[in-house]
Amino acid sequence: MSVNKKPKKKSSPAPVHSQVALLGGSYSLIISAVVLALLIVVNLFVSALPTTLTKYDISSTQLYSITSNTKVVVNALEQDVTIYWVVQSGEEDDVIENLLGKYESLSDHITVAKRNPDVYPTFTQQYTDEEVPNNSLIVESGDRYRYISYNDIYVTESSMYSYTYSTSFDGEGAITSAIDYVVTEDLPQLYVLEGHGEAELPSTFSDQLEKENYEVNTLSLLTVDEVPAEADCVLIYAPSTDLSDEEVTMLEDYVAGGGKLLVSAGPTEDGTLTNLYSLLENYGVTAAEGIVVEEDREHYAFGAPYVLLPDLASSDVTDSLIDESYYALMPISQGLTVGSTENGTVTELLTTSDTAFSKAAGYSLSTYDKEDGDIDGPFAVGVSIEDNGGGKIIWFSSSVFLEDMYNAYSSGANVDMAMNALSSLVGEREAIAIRSKSLNYNYLTISASTSSVLQGLMIGVFPLAYLAIGIVVIVRKRRLQNETV
């Protein structure tokens, strides 16, 4: 007799699976919490680091970077400097904020302090009478200070050629220059000659002198026995009457003793400034009577043969213009011919074409065509002279090339050239070697055929290729799933 045993029921594994799932979930939760805590700690640590270690500049003009010139100036600080940032809450400029953070991280001597004009409405009145826009700065150390307007940080200039505007960021240049100004007692001394009907220094040139921390003084050679010893450079700008023999002798002695002379003097309505130009004759340089005109169309501007576009020779004065493909404009210039000399070395900086000539009639010319009595070129209209005694002269034979109008026509190249000349004479200083950074966009220009090809690739080829890849991947996955089953 057989006995059928009832099979035993298997116990359900559900509780085991539930425990495993619970443990796994708890473990994942703990790991997530730990990772989140680590991320918070790391974020707090990174946020405490200086901006120089946490932000990287990939802009084409290095807009968010500090140059080595600034680092030299800041690292040499021995006294405290405070940069007051005048800005309303919520109106902070991100680029200026980033830049100030970099300055503050470079030196313990620099402190950035915000001053909200809503909270401190009279704060700026002790520094300037101007209306102070948001994101302006005041740099102060001891009794010295300099106000930097927001409009001097973002500089907008017009192009006389295309009737467009260009904007550049000059924050680093303005701040570093201000720091150098407030901590430096012995700034370069520029003496400007007066007493001969000299023109007033053009505003753009004058502003650049202030930015680059030249202390400008006036000098009358009638009231002194010699050029002051503290003069780092003497500037002769656009005299309308000639110097006396005694004044020329003082200037000759000054240069022979190692002095530096910058001259911007061209023909006048009365002709050549004979005594002044005799300074050049000591070095084999002679001046032609009249006004230089060009016959080569590529060497004059605006259809005016007297507005010269001279060739630039490589030098400390012109290299920055050559590198950026700028032109210097030299209107109403006196022609210079360079000969031999034993008193020094003469370098031609700016030269005309071979077809240039000097109109002997000067301001009385009635035609730009060559006439009897006109003097054949080519000429130099800018020269650099190194005296055997250590002195140096840089001479531009135009009285008007620094005027704001002609400087604007040259897109600022004329003033840049003059400032390069001053730097060459007195020595380049770190604080004044920082140029502004362009904010203009560089557009990519392509032909119509190239544009059509790119449109076909982007609209047709690439999307279809991605679609085909997706179909292939899905089909393969389904085949693998069917094989597994």
Side-chain angles (χ1 to χ4, degrees):
M1 179 176 171
S2 61
V3 178
N4 293 328
K5 293 184 178 179
K6 193 174 182 179
K8 294 181 179 180
K9 292 183 179 180
K10 294 182 179 179
S11 60
S12 174
V16 176
H17 287 302
S18 299
Q19 292 177 0
V20 172
L22 180 61
L23 290 174
S26 301
Y27 179 76
S28 298
L29 183 62
I30 293 171
I31 293 298
S32 299
V34 171
V35 171
L36 180 61
L38 287 174
L39 288 175
I40 293 174
V41 172
V42 170
N43 187 55
L44 291 173
F45 173 75
V46 171
S47 64
L49 293 174
T51 56
T52 53
L53 299 177
T54 59
K55 294 184 179 181
Y56 298 94
D57 188 358
I58 60 173
S59 60
S60 60
T61 58
Q62 295 296 289
L63 179 63
Y64 303 96
S65 298
I66 293 290
T67 64
S68 59
N69 307 75
T70 289
K71 293 176 182 177
V72 169
V73 173
V74 171
N75 290 337
L77 288 176
E78 296 181 354
Q79 59 195 80
D80 293 337
V81 175
T82 301
I83 303 176
Y84 292 106
W85 185 10
V86 183
V87 61
Q88 293 172 306
S89 179
E91 298 296 326
E92 294 86 352
D93 182 279
D94 291 338
V95 179
I96 294 176
E97 183 175 22
N98 179 279
L99 183 63
L100 292 175
K102 291 183 181 297
Y103 274 93
E104 200 167 24
S105 66
L106 282 175
S107 174
D108 293 335
H109 288 289
I110 294 180
T111 302
V112 176
K114 279 188 181 181
R115 287 295 182 268
N116 188 332
D118 295 333
V119 180
Y120 303 94
T122 63
F123 173 75
T124 61
Q125 294 177 7
Q126 58 187 310
Y127 300 102
T128 180
D129 295 331
E130 300 178 23
E131 182 178 349
V132 179
N134 268 324
N135 291 293
S136 297
L137 306 172
I138 297 168
V139 180
E140 182 180 44
S141 180
D143 297 330
R144 296 171 70 95
Y145 63 86
R146 174 172 288 179
Y147 163 62
I148 305 172
S149 171
Y150 176 79
N151 298 321
D152 294 325
I153 297 175
Y154 287 92
V155 182
T156 301
E157 296 178 344
S158 60
S159 171
M160 303 297 288
Y161 293 112
S162 58
Y163 301 101
T164 59
Y165 292 89
S166 62
T167 303
S168 59
F169 180 75
D170 197 26
E172 182 188 0
I175 295 173
T176 301
S177 174
I179 291 174
D180 179 68
Y181 172 76
V182 299
V183 302
T184 304
E185 295 183 2
D186 298 324
L187 295 171
Q189 302 294 309
L190 178 65
Y191 278 72
V192 181
L193 192 66
E194 63 177 7
H196 313 90
E198 289 85 356
E200 185 178 353
L201 294 182
S203 60
T204 303
F205 180 57
S206 183
D207 291 344
Q208 195 65 25
L209 288 174
E210 179 181 359
K211 177 195 170 186
E212 302 196 5
N213 293 339
Y214 286 94
E215 289 200 344
V216 179
N217 312 276
T218 57
L219 171 64
S220 172
L221 294 176
L222 299 177
T223 60
V224 295
D225 296 323
E226 61 182 7
V227 176
E230 61 270 20
D232 293 300
C233 181
V234 173
L235 171 62
I236 301 176
Y237 180 72
S240 57
T241 59
D242 208 355
L243 278 65
S244 66
D245 293 338
E246 292 76 13
E247 290 174 307
V248 170
T249 299
M250 277 192 274
L251 292 174
E252 289 175 341
D253 293 341
Y254 171 67
V255 174
K260 309 298 190 299
L261 189 62
L262 177 62
V263 181
S264 171
T268 67
E269 294 187 15
D270 296 328
T272 302
L273 301 172
T274 306
N275 284 347
L276 175 60
Y277 269 83
S278 69
L279 281 168
L280 293 176
E281 295 176 1
N282 296 330
Y283 304 97
V285 181
T286 56
E289 292 288 338
I291 295 174
V292 178
V293 298
E294 275 281 4
E295 287 189 317
D296 183 353
R297 185 61 186 87
E298 294 185 357
H299 283 81
Y300 65 88
F302 313 121
Y306 63 88
V307 182
L308 308 181
L309 290 173
D311 294 322
L312 308 181
S314 178
S315 69
D316 293 341
V317 178
T318 57
D319 279 347
S320 64
L321 277 65
I322 295 172
D323 292 342
E324 299 296 331
S325 299
Y326 279 107
Y327 293 93
L329 293 181
M330 297 295 288
I332 315 177
S333 297
Q334 193 110 36
L336 305 177
T337 302
V338 178
S340 59
T341 180
E342 296 180 354
N343 296 325
T345 303
V346 181
T347 302
E348 297 183 5
L349 301 175
L350 311 173
T351 55
T352 67
S353 73
D354 293 340
T355 60
F357 57 91
S358 183
K359 295 291 295 182
Y363 276 84
S364 300
L365 64 85
S366 57
T367 178
Y368 296 127
D369 296 331
K370 190 174 182 181
E371 301 174 302
D372 291 339
D374 292 343
I375 305 167
D376 291 330
F379 301 106
V381 291
V383 295
S384 174
I385 300 171
E386 294 187 14
D387 186 88
N388 290 336
K392 190 172 182 179
I393 302 174
I394 295 181
W395 196 296
F396 299 107
S397 61
S398 168
S399 294
V400 297
F401 83 104
L402 286 177
E403 289 185 359
D404 290 339
M405 178 181 69
Y406 289 114
N407 181 62
Y409 282 144
S410 70
S411 299
N414 282 6
V415 166
D416 282 349
M417 183 171 63
M419 297 308 301
N420 289 344
L422 269 177
S423 297
S424 176
L425 292 170
V426 305
E428 184 72 65
R429 301 168 63 244
E430 298 292 345
I432 66 175
I434 303 169
R435 300 302 184 217
S436 59
K437 302 170 183 179
S438 176
L439 296 179
N440 295 329
Y441 295 104
N442 294 319
Y443 294 98
L444 175 64
T445 303
I446 59 177
S447 63
S449 59
T450 303
S451 175
S452 298
V453 172
L454 290 176
Q455 288 179 4
L457 291 173
M458 298 297 181
I459 298 174
V461 176
F462 290 159
L464 291 175
Y466 291 141
L467 179 61
I469 292 172
I471 292 173
V472 170
V473 170
I474 292 173
V475 170
R476 285 183 176 179
K477 284 185 176 180
R478 288 186 175 179
R479 285 179 179 176
L480 290 174
Q481 288 175 353
N482 293 333
E483 291 175 0
T484 303
V485 174

